[in-house]
């Protein structure tokens, strides 16, 4: 959210106030509703000192105590909204009803706030925008689609299907990671027990040798000393680092840009992020095109669904190219994100007037690639796990037994 200073005339006096809004256009719209006088100008300004401190405190504490919305509760709420709006009930009454019906406390608070903003004259998209982080970019994009086309019930029904698919993929991802996480945790516990209880016994023996210890033993003894003496400090530093990274991702745009670019290069995680992001983008873009939204506007809305700033920057260039008169096919080709086969499909759809159908096939392709990675994630991770286990066992074996061999030679001599 950004801050905008609104200068206006009221009862012959020049007055100003500050409004929070995601962009200047929305700030002007909110000002027209909430400001009592004649608006002179609206300009972006820095956050007041007390707000800056409050935001810092809120974001820092939010990194630790953030309450996430349960996805099943959000899906149920969206489907309820869809059914009620399809029955001809006003969106205001629908939101009020859903706020009272949901069992998720965080979601109820959000819908209560949305209900108040709707009463003050804001659109549903504007009312939901402050909760973009909790509701998700896809939700905001599909609600905006419903308001643009005037068919909110259909957009919400499609949103329910999209969220259902996202939740299904998330559960599938968790299930796939269960085995490798269990193995890593078991290894970590076993290694810690060895370091705390077993290695110190050998340390006493090694100290009596008063001989030069081999490198594996030195590494083992160093790790034992670090865990026993500074274990809790190391754990505290790790937790603090995770909290700091989460905070920086929320507050520092430059840090987030570098992080998002780097994460795409990480083994396996990069591919999962890439295909999940493009699948979501093309899915929403397809629905917008099918609803008859102009390509430039459809791209603008679909870009809201992108969390990764690096991919968002590349796909933002598509909108600029289209506005300059370049074909959608060429614009997508210039990003370098789409394979030749997909570019040919988009070109065929653009030339034949069946762009939405071809984009749907592109979406299915990205979805299938994502599902393939998730379904086989265990086989991708197994070589890393085996290498990690082998390295730990080898370090333990060499670290303990090499000095023993030296002892045996010394006894023989």
């Amino acid at each position: 959210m950004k801050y905008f200073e609104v200068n206006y005339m009221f009862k012959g006096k020049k007055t100003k106030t500050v409004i929070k809004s995601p962009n200047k256009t929305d700030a002007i719209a909110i000002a027209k509703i909430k400001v009592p006088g004649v608006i002179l100008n609206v300009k972006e300004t820095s956050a007041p000192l007390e707000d800056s401190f409050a935001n810092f405190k809120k974001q820092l504490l939010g990194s630790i105590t953030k309450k996430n919305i349960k996805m099943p509760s959000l899906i149920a709420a969206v489907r309820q909204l869809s059914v009620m709006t399809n029955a001809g009930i006003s969106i205001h009454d629908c939101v009020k009803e859903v706020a009272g019906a949901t069992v998720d406390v965080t979601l109820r608070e959000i819908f209560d706030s949305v209900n108040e903003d709707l009463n003050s004259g804001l659109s549903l998209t504007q009312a939901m925008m402050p909760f973009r982080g909790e509701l998700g970019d896809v939700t905001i994009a599909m609600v905006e689609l419903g308001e643009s086309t005037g068919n909110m019930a259909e957009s919400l029904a499609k949103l329910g299907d999209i969220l259902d698919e996202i939740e299904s993929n998330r559960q599938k991802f968790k299930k796939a990671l269960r085995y490798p996480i269990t193995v890593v945790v078991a290894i970590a516990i076993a290694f810690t027990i060895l370091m705390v209880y077993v290695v110190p016994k050998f340390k006493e023996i090694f100290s009596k040798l008063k001989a030069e210890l081999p490198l594996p033993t030195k590494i083992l003894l160093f790790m034992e000393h670090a865990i026993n003496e500074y274990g809790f400090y190391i754990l505290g530093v790790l937790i603090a680092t995770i909290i700091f990274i989460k905070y920086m991702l929320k507050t520092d745009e430059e840090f987030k840009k570098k992080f998002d670019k780097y994460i795409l290069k990480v083994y396996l995680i990069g591919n999962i992020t890439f295909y999940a992001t493009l699948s979501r983008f093309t899915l929403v873009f397809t629905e917008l095109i099918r609803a008859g939204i102009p390509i430039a506007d459809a791209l603008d809305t679909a870009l809201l669904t992108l969390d990764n700033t690096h991919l968002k920057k590349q796909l933002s260039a598509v909108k600029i190219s289209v506005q300059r008169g370049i074909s959608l096919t060429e614009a997508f080709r210039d990003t370098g994100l789409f394979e030749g086969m997909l570019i040919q499909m988009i070109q065929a759809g653009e030339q034949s007037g069946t762009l939405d159908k071809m984009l749907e096939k592109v979406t299915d392709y990205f979805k299938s690639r994502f599902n393939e990675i998730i379904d086989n994630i265990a086989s991708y991770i197994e070589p890393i796990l085996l290498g990690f286990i082998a390295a730990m066992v080898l370090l333990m074996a060499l670290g303990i037994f090499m000095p023993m061999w030296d002892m045996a030679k010394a006894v023989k001599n």
Side-chain angles (χ1 to χ4, degrees), residues 74-86:
L74 179 58
I75 293 170
V78 167
R79 292 202 183 282
Q80 187 178 352
L81 282 172
S82 174
V83 171
M84 293 177 72
T85 50
N86 193 43

Side-chain angles (χ1 to χ4, degrees), residues 83-127:
V83 171
M84 293 177 72
T85 50
N86 193 43
I89 302 172
S90 70
I91 194 65
H92 175 268
D93 291 336
C94 292
V95 170
K96 189 176 180 180
E97 181 66 28
V98 171
T102 184
V103 295
D104 190 294
V105 177
T106 307
L107 190 60
R108 187 187 303 127
E109 290 173 356
I110 289 172
F111 274 108
D112 283 337
S113 177
V114 169
N115 183 42
E116 290 176 7
D117 287 340
L118 288 174
N119 283 333
S120 68
L122 297 184
S123 68
L124 185 58
T125 305
Q126 290 170 337

Side-chain angles (χ1 to χ4, degrees), residues 51-191:
D51 279 17
S52 297
F53 180 75
N55 286 335
F56 173 76
K57 184 179 177 181
K58 182 180 178 182
Q59 289 167 347
L60 189 60
L61 291 175
S63 301
I64 306 171
T65 61
K66 183 181 178 182
K67 294 180 180 179
N68 292 321
I69 295 173
K70 294 177 182 177
M71 185 61 81
S73 299
L74 179 58
I75 293 170
V78 167
R79 292 202 183 282
Q80 187 178 352
L81 282 172
S82 174
V83 171
M84 293 177 72
T85 50
N86 193 43
I89 302 172
S90 70
I91 194 65
H92 175 268
D93 291 336
C94 292
V95 170
K96 189 176 180 180
E97 181 66 28
V98 171
T102 184
V103 295
D104 190 294
V105 177
T106 307
L107 190 60
R108 187 187 303 127
E109 290 173 356
I110 289 172
F111 274 108
D112 283 337
S113 177
V114 169
N115 183 42
E116 290 176 7
D117 287 340
L118 288 174
N119 283 333
S120 68
L122 297 184
S123 68
L124 185 58
T125 305
Q126 290 170 337
M128 284 185 167
M129 191 63 79
F131 307 103
R132 180 177 172 182
E134 290 85 356
L135 297 174
D137 297 311
V138 176
T139 301
I140 302 298
M142 293 305 290
V143 168
E144 188 173 0
L145 169 63
E147 290 185 324
S148 301
T149 59
N151 195 341
M152 183 62 77
E154 187 178 334
S155 292
L156 289 172
K158 189 64 182 177
L159 172 60
D161 294 337
I162 293 171
L163 293 177
D164 210 4
E165 186 176 334
I166 291 172
E167 176 62 11
S168 175
N169 288 336
R170 184 180 297 170
Q171 293 301 325
K172 194 185 296 183
F173 184 60
K174 284 183 179 179
K175 187 178 179 180
L177 285 180
R178 198 171 295 155
Y179 164 70
I181 287 174
T182 303
V183 172
V184 169
V185 170
I187 293 170
I189 292 172
F191 192 74

Side-chain angles (χ1 to χ4, degrees), residues 242-340:
I242 292 170
I243 293 172
F244 175 74
I245 290 173
K246 290 174 101 176
Y247 171 74
M248 290 295 288
L249 286 173
K250 286 182 180 179
T251 58
D252 193 317
E253 290 185 10
E254 201 59 38
F255 179 84
K256 180 166 172 54
K257 286 177 184 177
K258 291 178 181 177
F259 181 87
D260 287 346
K261 187 175 182 180
Y262 170 77
I263 204 72
L264 291 171
K265 299 176 182 178
V266 176
Y267 172 74
L268 199 59
I269 295 175
N271 281 339
I272 291 173
T273 303
F274 178 80
Y275 289 115
T277 302
L278 285 187
S279 173
R280 189 163 59 246
F281 170 79
T282 52
L283 176 61
V284 174
F285 183 54
T286 302
E287 292 303 319
L288 293 167
I289 293 297
R290 184 173 285 142
I293 304 296
I295 289 177
D297 294 336
L299 285 167
D300 215 12
T301 303
L303 285 169
L304 287 174
T305 65
L306 303 184
D307 295 323
N308 188 285
T309 52
H310 183 69
L311 292 176
K312 189 171 187 175
K313 181 181 177 182
Q314 289 179 283
L315 288 169
S316 295
V318 175
K319 179 190 172 185
I320 297 170
S321 298
V322 169
Q323 288 175 328
R324 289 176 179 172
I326 298 173
S327 69
L328 186 64
T329 304
E330 290 301 319
F332 275 131
R333 181 183 282 120
D334 291 341
T335 63
L337 300 175
F338 295 78
E339 298 175 21

